[in-house]
Each structure stands twice: as structure tokens, then as C-alpha cells.
Amino acid sequence: MMNRDRDAVRKLLADAVEDGEIVCFSGAGLSEPSGVGTFRDPGAGWWTRYDPMVLASPRGFADDPELVMRWYAARRLQMARAEPNAAHRVLASRPGIINVTQNTDDLLERAGARHLLRLHGDITADRCHADCGHVERIDLAHPPTHRPCPRCRHSAMRPTVVWFGEPLPGEIWSAAEAAVRQCRILLVVGTSATVYPAAGLISVARDAHATVVVVNREPSGATEDADHELLGSVDDLLPELLAES
Ligand code: BJW
């Protein structure tokens, strides 16, 4: 039966964090209190207003690269204005927590997280779409528009993120799977848990007999696998659940 007891969860986390046995698997809800848009929240989520296949797929980029880069410029400006919130800060302050995130923003890094695996890439850089090897760091406050790759000139520059239909970075995925297989607690934070293979980490944790703790504003794709589910905002709940005793 699902347990919603905050004190029980706080105790579980306190024991496991000392032993370095927590993996936090996060999504867009972690950065929502910082003012970064989510993807599927009714009304506010990007995918409730725009077609993900137009903005976040190789086909969409081939069809209209100017549009895709304008959308990334808008998101980059939003991220440039954002600051890490209390949830980023508490996750980063606990060296025993391995952060596996689907988020492409740099807020966990800016909060000081040291052990961080980014499954869907990093929006703070662009690379050549044809993979000639050219990569450029981006100033989020001055995002670039559509432009050719300056090295190979055959293709265009694009964000170093993972679009639909593209594979996740292999080494990062393997490291995330290995960490989840070995953890005692998988803390699932601010994700609809609907995008694969990332959401499959929850089954990996279950198969390895880890305890699954979900912290989300509403029930999600992780609900049925949760041993504990706490509903609320991450910036309220995580500092309380991970408070040092
Ligand atoms: C709060 C809160 C607060 C809010 N406090 N909570 C069937 C058809 C077609 C494709 C597929 C299919 N089945 C599977 C696939 C594959 C596909 C997929 O999963 N599709 C499903 C959607 C159906 N997956 C892929 O294509 C992946 N690649 C792949 O499978 O490769 C295979 C391959 C192998 C070998 C060769 C080639 C290919 C890639 C997936 C890439 C996802 N990319 C995106 C965008 C790019 C990144 C960027 O620009 O930033 O990544 S999509 C978007 O979704 C983004 C996110 O990382 C990802 C997950 O979203 P997330 O984080 O869960 O956000 P939301 O908005 O969904 O949820 C937020 C939650 O927070 C909500 O529940 C809120 O309630 C909550 N919340 N505020 C607490 N304050």
C-alpha cells in the first residue's frame, strides 16, 4: 500500500544519505519553482502548446531550423534569468546523493551538485548537427540563432540536447543504470515519468528491490511503482525531507 507519511520518508532518507545510497531521478518539476517551463503541465507545459516533433526532433530541425533555434533562444533566456531553488540546493548539499536528471538546464550544477548525470544533454552548448565534432559553449543570456557549423559548413549548429528519436549518451546512460541498480532509495522528483528510456530507471530500481519515493505535484507515471508518494512542490518538500538532523 502507498505510504504518504512524511516522517517515515524523512527517516528512510536520513539513514540512506549517510551511506551514499540515494539516487535522485529528476525532471522539469525540479526547476519549475525557479521559473523554468515544464513540458506537460496543463496549460503551462511546452508540449501542451507546441508539437514536440516540430521543436524537439531531428525531422523538426530539418524542416524549420530557424523556428527550433528561436524556441531554444526563448528557453535559454528563461534559464539565464533563473536561479537554483531550495530543492536544487538541498540535493546539491548532500554529497551522498547521485543526481540523475532529465533536465538540460544548469541549475543543479550552479547549486553545486558534484555527482550529476544528465540523461538528455546540456542546453548550455551547441554542436554540429552532423556531428563533425565542433562544439560551442553558449552564453544563455545571449543565445545564438540558426547558423551553419563554422568547421564543416555542411550542417547547422544545434543544442547539445537529446531530441525524440535520438539515443541517450551511452556512457551516461550506463552509469545511471548502474547507480540505480545499486541504490537503496530511488527518489523520483518532478517528472511525469512518461519519456523512455529515462522513465525505465524506475523499473530498474524496483527490479533491484530499491525503495521508490516519489515527490511530485500530482500523480504521475511513477505513482504505481512508488512505495511512498508525497504530493506538493519540490521546493517545499525536499528541504523538509532532506533536512540534516
Ligand atoms: C512539479 C512541480 C513542482 C511541476 N513541484 N512537481 C512511441 C512513439 C514514439 C516514440 C516512442 C514511443 N515509445 C517510446 C518512444 C521513445 C521516446 C519516448 O519516450 N516517447 C514518449 C513520449 C512516448 N523517447 C525517445 O525518443 C528518446 N530516445 C530514444 O528512445 O532513443 C532510442 C534510440 C536508440 C538508438 C538509436 C536511435 C534512437 C529520447 C527522448 C528525448 C526527450 N527530449 C526532451 C526535450 C529535449 C531536451 C530539452 O530541450 O530540454 O526532454 S522531451 C522532454 O521530456 C524533455 C524532458 O527531459 C522529458 C521528460 O519530461 P519531464 O522532465 O518529466 O517533464 P514533464 O513536464 O513531463 O513533467 C513535469 C512533472 O513535474 C509533472 O508531473 C508535474 O506535475 C511536476 N511538477 N511543477 C513538484 N513545483
Side-chain angles (χ1 to χ4, degrees), residues 84 88 92 105-113 116 118 122 124 137:
H88 294 112
D105 66 52
D106 58 353
L107 293 173
L108 272 169
E109 250 165 6
R110 278 160 55 193
L116 176 59
R118 308 169 75 147
D122 175 359
T124 69
R137 301 286 344 147

Side-chain angles (χ1 to χ4, degrees), residues 123-189:
I123 206 168
T124 69
D126 274 354
R127 68 168 172 89
C128 172
H129 185 50
D131 249 339
C132 80
H134 186 66
V135 177
E136 288 174 5
R137 301 286 344 147
I138 296 304
D139 175 359
L140 291 176
H142 298 95
T145 50
H146 173 50
R147 64 206 188 284
C149 171
R151 183 193 283 178
C152 72
R153 297 180 190 282
H154 292 306
S155 189
M157 296 300 285
R158 56 158 284 183
T160 60
V161 301
V162 181
W163 284 333
F164 284 108
E166 294 183 325
L168 275 56
E171 280 181 19
I172 292 175
W173 173 251
S174 300
E177 254 191 332
V180 169
R181 240 184 249 117
Q182 286 160 26
C183 73
R184 190 177 350 151
I185 296 184
L186 183 70
L187 183 55
V188 181
V189 170

